[in-house]
Amino acid sequence: MKGQKGFLFDIILIVSLIVISASAVACLFIFRREGKSVSVEIDGERVALYSLEDEGEYILNGGTNILVIENGEAYISEADCPDRTCMRTGSLRHVGQSAVCLPNRVSVTVVGDDASGVDLVS
Amino acid sequence: MKKTQKLSLLAMTVAVAMLLSFIESRLPAFTAIPGVKIGLANIAVMFALYRFGAKEAALVSLVRVVLISLLFGSLVSMLYGLCGGAVSLLIMIILKRFSPLSPLGVSVAGGVAHNAAQIGVACLLLGTARIAYYLPFLILSGTLSGVAVGICAAVLIKRIKS
């Protein structure tokens, strides 16, 4: 323990990290837009683009993951890996949100109108 | 400290780290954001870092990640855990030695570094920078969990003298 002085630096570090990240989170929240479609990428290559209006179940990557679109939201309903991170991510609705399956290298990202790739919240 | 004494204490620290990882994996996810976790096992790593040293802390962290991924995870989760653990420990070792931060601040930096490294690995594995979207959320969560872990670790380090 380095006493009072160390503690002061701790507080400075903690407060600045919280202020910076919380304002970034607030910006993402304030400027968020409803997405138009979901982009499915495997190994960094876009393999499919589904409109959020086309409700239904889509089989991804030959069956490793299943994507469901309903009520303007997308989520992963099935994954064959033990992590299940992509399933736990839940519903995606706003531009930039994504669900990721690292073991299968699959990612599903909500995109806006232009659907290019530069439509992350800017 | 005798060699056998140190060996058994380190083995116990690894066991505690594994137990903490296991408990954490059983906790329900409290947010929808991937990668947000408390990092309870870092309490044991912090303890090893302050009571033994950098080498021993690295050993505890490495053995924990390998064993936990073999038992409950996959090869990908091992790679993921190793990168997060290595970057976070490296930052903690450097800060402990060269900065005036107390264990609390060191733990916070470690938590943030851990989350940032995992996002980096995920971007590399997926070949897309899209998930950098979650970075602000993960820095925030890394800070908060780093505070919680740091308080626990600081108490432990103070109470358990080597």
Side-chain angles (χ1 to χ4, degrees), chain A residues 1-2 6 9-10 13-14 17-18 21 24-25 28 41 43-44 83 85 89 95-98 100 102-103 105 109 116-117, chain B residues 32 34 74 76 80 96 99-105 108 112 122 125-128 130-131 133-134 136-137 139-140 143 147:
Chain A
M1 288 296 221
K2 283 168 188 153
F9 282 101
D10 291 353
L13 176 72
I14 293 165
L17 279 172
I18 289 181
S21 56
V25 167
L28 286 178
E41 284 166 32
D43 264 331
D83 313 359
T85 309
T89 305
V95 174
Q97 291 182 318
S98 51
V100 166
L102 282 180
R105 299 174 145 225
T109 310
S116 58
Chain B
S74 57
V76 178
Y80 210 49
K96 182 195 169 228
S99 83
L101 293 171
S102 84
L104 179 63
V108 168
V112 171
L125 279 180
L126 293 164
T128 165
R130 284 239 161 98
I131 38 172
Y133 173 87
Y134 289 107
F137 296 94
I139 292 178
L140 188 59
T143 308
V147 169

Side-chain angles (χ1 to χ4, degrees), chain B residues 141-153:
Chain B
S141 89
T143 308
L144 298 178
S145 57
V147 169
V149 165
I151 290 171
C152 297

Side-chain angles (χ1 to χ4, degrees), chain B residues 84-118:
Chain B
V87 172
S88 125
L89 187 62
L90 195 69
I91 297 281
M92 293 199 295
I93 291 169
I94 293 171
L95 287 179
K96 182 195 169 228
R97 188 164 301 172
F98 300 108
S99 83
L101 293 171
S102 84
L104 179 63
V106 170
S107 150
V108 168
V112 171
H114 181 269
N115 287 356
Q118 292 209 323

